[in-house]
Amino acid sequence: MIVETAVDDADMSRRAAAMVVAQLRAKPDSLLVLPTGATPLGLFRALVAAAEAGDLDASCVRFVTLDDYRGIAADDPRRLLLWLRRALLDPLGVGEDRIVAFDPEGDPEAEPARIEAAIAEGGGIDLAIVGLGPNGHLGFNEPCSRFDSRARRIALTPESIRSNAAYWGSEDVVPREGFTLGLGTLMEARRLVLIASGARKRGILAAALDGPTGEAVPATLLRLHPEATVIADRAALGRD
Ligand code: PGA
């Protein structure tokens, strides 16, 4: 695992964007996984700017969603796919035909298998970039998710419901279930990158980098991956 120290959130975003640009230069039709949340916003802005400047050709890139809510309408604007579309995929001109996404209205048992099959048929994930949950989660893989877990339906933990309430107005209306790629699914990505910024991630990032490796902190999966990179800013690394 390589740990890159970024000066700040903007530097972290630039470094992660450079990785995506290099990936698409090497393989224009790469299959990518990108996170939602606050952390990747600078990365998305950098990618859109790179495309506008002609430094990024997104005409063949393909995406798989990392996670999403279950049991909401497919066109609910709070669906994570639609959030990702607004922030990145639409500005990059990535159409439906190049997106594999959990359908929140899909059959809860069949949907995860459909996504795993689509990833396999698409040749596997080339690059997965993930954020770091306050409890160490990756996607909706909460603490004690198995390292060999596959895509699945999951119940959101009270902590995730609380942290998502900001996007929904109140805890009462946050969906109680979601779909997520599994830790085993992410482990098979050719390259796995974790991005983290800000002092509020300091404790959990320290646990992810230096604490005991194990399922209690899902982000410690990075340490088992052969091509893993952590890009974190000085505040998150406790070096400010
Ligand atoms: P954040 O979320 O980027 O909004 O901090 C990270 C996560 O929970 O995965």
Side-chain angles (χ1 to χ4, degrees), residues 20 23-32 51 56-64 89 92-100 122 124 126:
V20 174
Q23 175 67 40
L24 293 186
R25 286 209 179 122
K27 185 180 177 193
D29 66 344
S30 292
L31 185 56
L32 305 186
L56 173 75
D57 178 1
S59 59
C60 297
V61 62
R62 299 168 296 143
F63 287 90
V64 183
L89 304 182
L92 290 185
V94 178
E96 295 282 347
D97 56 324
R98 289 189 280 135
I99 302 170
V100 174
D126 292 296

Side-chain angles (χ1 to χ4, degrees), residues 23-109:
Q23 175 67 40
L24 293 186
R25 286 209 179 122
K27 185 180 177 193
D29 66 344
S30 292
L31 185 56
L32 305 186
V33 171
L34 294 179
T36 51
T39 312
L41 290 175
L43 162 63
F44 295 167
R45 281 193 296 271
L47 290 175
V48 172
E52 284 169 1
D55 296 330
L56 173 75
D57 178 1
S59 59
C60 297
V61 62
R62 299 168 296 143
F63 287 90
V64 183
T65 49
L66 174 60
D67 53 7
D68 215 325
Y69 299 110
R70 199 194 84 68
I72 59 172
D75 62 355
D76 190 308
R78 294 162 296 194
R79 182 182 174 192
L80 296 180
L81 168 67
L82 298 190
W83 187 93
L84 192 62
R85 290 198 67 124
R86 290 190 297 272
L88 181 72
L89 304 182
D90 291 348
L92 290 185
V94 178
E96 295 282 347
D97 56 324
R98 289 189 280 135
I99 302 170
V100 174
F102 290 108
D103 177 357
E105 297 182 276
D107 178 320
E109 307 312 320

